[in-house]
Amino acid sequence: MTSGISRRAENVPPFIVMDVVRATNEMEARGEKVIHCEVGQPGTPAPRGALEAAHAALERDRIGYVEALGIPALRERIARHYADRYGIRLDPQRVVVTTGSSAGFLMAFLAAFDAGARVAMATPGYPPYRNILAALGLLPVDIVATETERYQPTVGGIASAGSLSGLIVASPSNPTGTMVSREEMADLAATCRRRGTRLISDEIYHGLTFESRATSALEVTDDAIVINSFSKYFSMTGWRIGWMVVPPDLVRPVERLTQNLLISTPTLSQFAAIAAFDCTEELEAHVRRYRANRDLLLEGLPKAGFDHLTRPTGAFYLYADVAHLTNDSVEFCRRMLREAGVAATPGVDFDPQRGHRTLRFSFAGSTADMEEAVRRLVSWKR
Ligand SMILES: Cc1ncc(COP(=O)(O)O)c(C=O)c1O
């Protein structure tokens, strides 16, 4: 008989931002006011129409298990969203409702890749991509992306990564807020197709764009797995609901995996999500606030010495190169929190190699908080 902890569990790295969160909680417990530029979630609740739909569902429905692939009305509503937003005709049968995009990744990786498969993504990038892959016995491959590449994977980067079963692209990206153009997405999709690499497009920040709308991989290919969520644009983070669009041959495998691993996705959240699509006015007001916050930080942070910033065209993050200020972003963030009362995320979470010289500021909070963050950082005597 053996006992102990599996290697995969032992090796999963922590999310370092959670240490910042713990420190902010301690400061707030002492009554100190912290400005939160570390959190990657909207400060707003679910839109009113979604809340009303949830209340109505509680009165009417028993909230039992539902179909593993999702309630048909929600799958149809999501397919309609692709017609409305992107002008794409999408078969609702290819839409899979998931427990947040996080479960989407899990199902996509399990359905598309065998153990040992190599799957690439750009660094800096969202840490769980790499960590979920590793926990499943897959091999994450970093494509080190540069500032001039706007931290996005390129055709050249893919070529130098060797043989790949998969490529993850996030546009807009976390932590940089940069996007790939339609031409770049088409080139990436064509390269993947030529090399027999499955393209996985994380479109969780679609809708949160400030200059032009983001291109969906579905506009340029039918082979990709597209992952999306109600957590960001739709402001429903804790409802744990998202969706995938998969090629027809993956529908049944994903259905079987979901039936066995999760049974179904939270039913109440599905009823609420259907209604969220009709809350455009409220949700677009959030986007206007994020744009104002971005502009405010782009103007204000350089006055505080943060003058090497990546200009985000989407999401709610600003990636700052702080090489002239520190060589230890974790310690720098700790000190900034302690001395200026502003919480940010050290870059090491997103880029193990270069992140000790970068920070991520989230501007998902209120505009008043962003103004206060700038005021505090300008007067911070480092
Ligand atoms: C790029 C990216 N993908 C996926 C997720 C996971 O989101 P959820 O599981 O809430 O849909 C996040 C959360 O911050 C993210 O930033």
Side-chain angles (χ1 to χ4, degrees), residues 51-289:
L51 292 173
E52 284 167 5
H55 282 296
L58 282 175
E59 294 296 326
R60 170 194 84 227
D61 196 270
R62 105 192 127 94
I63 316 294
Y65 292 137
V66 292
E67 298 88 327
L69 294 176
I71 296 175
L74 177 55
R75 296 172 73 199
E76 278 157 26
R77 187 63 191 83
I78 291 168
R80 181 144 71 84
H81 174 68
Y82 282 90
D84 297 345
R85 179 165 283 175
Y86 307 97
I88 297 173
R89 277 169 64 96
L90 177 65
D91 180 354
Q93 296 303 320
R94 290 177 55 197
V95 176
V96 181
V97 177
T98 59
T99 304
S101 75
S102 301
F105 287 112
L106 196 57
M107 292 304 147
F109 296 163
L110 284 171
F113 306 123
D114 283 313
R118 301 176 80 246
V119 179
M121 70 232 76
T123 49
Y126 178 60
Y129 298 146
R130 182 183 314 120
N131 299 340
I132 297 171
L133 288 165
L136 295 177
L138 303 163
L139 295 177
V141 178
D142 286 341
I143 295 179
V144 177
T146 64
E147 188 179 3
T148 44
E149 293 164 342
R150 299 186 324 287
Y151 298 114
Q152 289 287 352
T154 59
V155 170
I158 297 170
S160 52
S163 157
L164 295 174
S165 299
L167 172 75
I168 304 170
V169 176
S171 168
S173 120
N174 177 6
T176 63
T178 60
M179 310 201 316
V180 295
S181 67
R182 188 186 172 100
E183 292 68 35
E184 288 165 335
M185 184 67 94
D187 282 349
L188 291 173
T191 304
C192 284
R193 175 189 279 255
R194 209 172 45 248
R195 296 170 55 104
T197 300
R198 177 80 74 175
L199 176 63
I200 299 181
S201 180
D202 182 353
E203 305 188 353
I204 185 170
Y205 291 103
H206 277 217
L208 299 183
T209 53
F210 311 126
E211 285 158 24
S212 56
R213 80 159 170 81
T215 298
S216 170
L218 294 176
E219 293 177 76
V220 298
T221 178
D222 275 327
D223 299 336
I225 300 176
V226 166
I227 308 241
N228 210 319
S229 176
F230 291 89
S231 289
K232 310 292 176 174
Y233 174 76
F234 294 96
S235 194
M236 296 176 65
T237 326
W239 294 71
R240 307 311 301 131
I241 180 152
W243 76 86
M244 288 198 281
V245 179
V246 299
D249 61 334
L250 279 183
V251 173
R252 184 65 184 142
V254 166
E255 182 175 30
R256 288 194 307 260
L257 284 163
T258 306
Q259 287 167 342
N260 284 287
L261 269 70
L262 301 169
I263 303 186
S264 65
T265 298
T267 306
L268 184 62
S269 301
Q270 298 199 45
F271 286 125
I274 297 170
F277 284 107
D278 297 322
C279 302
T280 309
E281 214 173 292
E282 187 177 336
L283 298 173
E284 287 300 316
H286 298 333
V287 182
R288 285 195 292 279
R289 175 167 51 83

